[in-house]
Amino acid sequence: MARQIVRQHELPSDTPKAAIYARVSTLSGQNPDVQTREIEEYCQRCGFEIFSVYVDKGVSGKKYSRPQLNRMMEDAHQRRFDVVVVARFDRFARSVSHLLRALETFNALGVQFVSLAEQVDTSTPTGRMIFTVLGAVSELERNLIVERVHSGLRHARAKGKRLG
């Protein structure tokens, strides 16, 4: 399915414009189209015009600076869209502080944030509270994975296994 990228000057003023953001951590085995297809369908159901699709490939969610995320944030500051839509919180950011900073920026700019998996719309107080709680859970999940990997490595070393 071909994406239609609609520029701001081509849109009627009353049509909400959406920015789609997707990210995959590795270049092999992960396809961002899985995320973007679902988000595009959501935007269509909501009557959003897609301003742009921003996809970071092979970039960790731990990094605050990512090429396409940076470009999206620049466009947000120029108020080129009204809503950011992501498939899941962890595709946007892995730390609560990064999520909250971005949310504060979006709020100041009048940009809504929607996460499909968590069904959160940050235009409401409840949505903002859920965003904070789920962001903390996402960060905890990542930290637990790191802890398990390190524990497995220590266990392998203790058994005399040589690691790359």
Side-chain angles (χ1 to χ4, degrees):
M1 168 174 27
R3 285 195 184 95
Q4 179 181 3
I5 307 299
V6 182
R7 300 292 173 216
Q8 182 180 18
H9 65 277
E10 298 171 349
L11 298 174
S13 60
D14 61 342
T15 303
K17 294 170 280 302
I20 292 175
Y21 181 77
R23 179 188 61 78
V24 291
S25 302
T26 63
L27 295 174
S28 61
Q30 293 184 326
N31 187 344
D33 292 345
V34 174
Q35 296 170 49
T36 57
R37 184 177 79 276
E38 181 181 359
I39 297 169
E40 287 169 349
E41 291 169 0
Y42 171 83
C43 289
Q44 184 178 11
R45 285 192 308 271
C46 291
F48 296 155
E49 293 285 346
I50 298 172
F51 172 75
S52 190
V53 178
Y54 306 86
V55 179
D56 279 309
K57 296 178 184 176
V59 183
S60 170
K62 231 169 62 168
K63 294 185 177 185
Y64 289 165
S65 180
R66 295 175 238 148
Q68 291 300 304
L69 178 63
N70 295 346
R71 188 170 71 86
M72 185 187 72
M73 295 307 286
E74 288 172 17
D75 287 345
H77 281 282
Q78 294 176 17
R79 292 179 165 74
R80 292 188 168 170
F81 48 80
D82 305 298
V83 59
V84 172
V85 186
V86 300
R88 299 174 45 100
F89 283 154
D90 67 355
R91 299 295 88 201
F92 185 76
R94 287 289 195 157
S95 79
V96 174
S97 64
H98 187 208
L99 286 168
L100 293 177
R101 238 180 285 130
L103 179 58
E104 288 172 6
T105 299
F106 292 146
N107 283 339
L109 297 171
V111 174
Q112 294 180 12
F113 184 90
V114 175
S115 174
L116 299 184
E118 291 84 6
Q119 297 183 353
V120 173
D121 178 348
T122 61
S123 67
T124 67
T126 302
R128 286 189 295 274
M129 186 274 305
I130 292 171
F131 180 86
T132 303
V133 171
L134 290 176
V137 171
S138 180
E139 184 175 3
L140 171 65
E141 179 183 19
R142 183 194 177 287
N143 289 337
L144 289 174
I145 290 168
V146 168
E147 187 177 285
R148 285 192 295 267
V149 167
H150 288 135
S151 176
L153 291 172
R154 282 191 304 273
H155 180 70
R157 282 187 200 109
K159 291 177 104 180
K161 294 194 178 178
R162 215 173 153 184
L163 305 170

